[in-house]
Amino acid sequence: MQYNDYPAEQIAAKLEQINKFEAEFGEKPVSKSWRKWCTDYEYRKREWEWRQALGNYASKNAHKALL
């Protein structure tokens, strides 16, 4: 599988949600991480790769926990 980035409109919409949240509640660790996700292509790519690796591991090794 190859990483395909999210559409720019979807990323911009999420960033707008973050701006509204932070205006109301201030910066929080979760909003800070979402801001990083929205503004850094490499961060999104690494996050996607991590999820793929985790799913791959679970699909091949999760059954071993039941043995």
Side-chain angles (χ1 to χ4, degrees):
M1 291 179 66
Q2 186 175 355
Y3 175 68
N4 293 321
D5 201 10
Y6 290 84
E9 303 83 30
Q10 193 175 357
I11 295 170
K14 187 64 177 177
L15 191 56
E16 183 59 32
Q17 282 182 326
I18 295 163
N19 290 334
K20 288 179 182 177
F21 176 87
E22 288 182 345
E24 188 173 342
F25 301 106
E27 185 179 82
K28 306 288 182 194
V30 171
S31 65
K32 188 176 179 181
S33 66
W34 270 109
R35 182 174 299 283
K36 173 92 172 161
W37 187 91
C38 288
T39 58
D40 188 343
Y41 171 83
E42 288 299 319
Y43 186 84
R44 289 191 300 275
K45 185 177 177 185
R46 287 190 309 269
E47 186 267 338
W48 178 85
E49 290 169 345
W50 180 80
R51 285 186 288 116
Q52 299 306 306
L54 184 63
N56 188 33
Y57 174 81
S59 69
K60 294 180 180 163
N61 295 300
H63 68 283
K64 294 178 183 175
L66 301 174
L67 298 176

